[in-house]
Each structure stands twice: as C-alpha cells, then as structure tokens.
Amino acid sequence: YGVDITSLQGPAINSQCKKRLFISLGEGTTNRLTDCKTYSEESYTIPGAVNEDRKGCLFSEGNIIISGNGTLVVDGLYNHAIVTDGCYYQRPGVTIAIKDAAKNGIHIKGDSDDNTGCYIRGGAIYASLSGTAGKGIKSDMDIVVAGGKIEVITSGNGTYDSSEADTSSAAGLKADGSIYIEAGELSLISSGTGGKGISAD
C-alpha cells in the first residue's frame, strides 16, 4: 500500500522460506523496491545464515505469487530485479515496472513438480535493461503467457560463457524449456549484439 524500501545492505525483500511468498499490491498504489550495488557480508545482515544465497532485489526461496491492482517498481542494482528459486505467478491487475537490472528483470528457477517456471495470467510487465546478456524474463523451465501485456527493451550485448562453452545474449523472454503464448500482447526489442525477442531451448 505505497511502500518504499531501499536497502543499503542487500536485497530489499529477502525471503529464505521455501514456502510460497504472497505479494498483494494495494489498489491504485505505487510501491518501490531498490537494492544496492554491493551486498554486505556482515553477519548482522544475514542473521543465523551461513553463505546465504541472495540473488536480487526481491528474492524468494519459494514460489512468488503477485496479485492486486497496484504497481510494483523494482530496481535490481546488484544482480536480478525479481528472483525466485520456485515459480513466479502473476494475476490480472498487477503492474510490474523494472527500470533497470544488473542482469535479468525476472529470474525464475521454477517448480520441478509441474515444469512451470513462469505463469502470467494478466496484468502488465514493463522492463528496460542495459546489462550484458540481460533477459526481461528468464526461466529455467517453461514460460506460460495467458494474458496481459509484456513490454521488454534490452540493449546489452552478448557475451561468451567459458564454463558453458557457449554464447549468451540478451532476450525479451528466455526459457530453458518451452514458451506457451495463449493470449496477451508482447512487445520485445533486443538491440544488442545477438539480442533476441524470444529464445527457448
């Protein structure tokens, strides 16, 4: 309901619980999350944890489910803007605005039980990314777009990943599985070298 969180130590929201994280955006509100370019390793910033995995501004070990009729503005200065080790589910009415991210806008590991990483039922996602090989939405599993509007602009160039012995380039949507587009409107522009609108394995 109009929250504004800027972290000077690490993620703005850091959920280490492997259960579902519900985020409800108050109707008509604009909510902002910003992290910092360098995460602190001081013990008080990660109490009770050893080598805690912190991958971005809004981070969850479990599934992220976003609902409501408000706007969430996220800046990922350290790595990804929104990242989950589970799946990402977006309901109608939600507006996500990612002004920039050091790497990916929304980064999803996915839920191996149903092979779904990202499910967009509606709402809107706007992302403008300039990082090297940055993706608007990146899922290790399938992406399903069943409604809503997705606008992604990437300008970062591609890079060679020596560990994978392969090149990695920017993309609007990137899935290591399949991408299913059942409804909705997509505008995906990648202007850097090797950039792609849609990329799926």
Side-chain angles (χ1 to χ4, degrees):
Y1 291 86
V3 70
D4 191 339
I5 300 174
T6 298
S7 173
L8 302 179
Q9 304 292 340
I13 294 178
N14 180 15
S15 173
Q16 291 294 312
C17 178
K18 294 183 183 297
K19 295 186 178 181
R20 292 170 291 178
L21 172 65
F22 293 92
I23 298 174
S24 179
L25 304 175
E27 185 170 358
T29 63
T30 298
N31 308 270
R32 293 180 170 85
L33 303 176
T34 306
D35 64 358
C36 47
K37 291 184 177 181
T38 302
Y39 284 8
S40 171
E41 296 299 329
E42 294 292 333
S43 60
Y44 68 86
T45 68
I46 44 176
V50 178
N51 296 325
E52 183 178 280
D53 202 7
R54 298 170 293 162
K55 300 176 182 176
C57 182
L58 167 54
F59 175 64
S60 175
E61 286 278 358
N63 300 339
I64 293 178
I65 301 170
I66 300 186
S67 61
N69 291 283
T71 299
L72 180 63
V73 181
V74 185
D75 285 337
L77 305 181
Y78 170 75
N79 197 18
H80 310 302
I82 299 173
V83 53
T84 171
D85 280 350
C87 67
Y88 176 90
Y89 187 94
Q90 179 172 310
R91 293 187 167 126
V94 170
T95 298
I96 303 294
I98 299 169
K99 294 189 292 183
D100 203 358
K103 198 166 183 184
N104 300 330
I106 302 176
H107 184 92
I108 304 145
K109 186 174 181 180
D111 185 346
S112 58
D113 290 340
D114 59 9
N115 204 43
T116 297
C118 179
Y119 192 98
I120 308 294
R121 262 195 68 205
I125 297 174
Y126 303 99
S128 178
L129 309 171
S130 59
T132 300
K135 282 82 171 172
I137 300 174
K138 163 66 171 70
S139 173
D140 289 358
M141 296 185 181
D142 293 349
I143 293 175
V144 178
V145 181
K149 184 177 185 179
I150 299 174
E151 290 189 4
V152 177
I153 298 174
T154 70
S155 57
N157 290 325
T159 185
Y160 182 75
D161 187 338
S162 57
S163 63
E164 297 288 336
D166 197 5
T167 57
S168 176
S169 58
L173 300 183
K174 170 68 171 96
D176 289 349
S178 300
I179 296 176
Y180 301 92
I181 302 172
E182 302 169 358
E185 178 183 343
L186 285 78
S187 174
L188 310 170
I189 301 171
S190 292
S191 60
T193 55
K196 301 171 180 67
I198 295 175
S199 176
D201 285 357

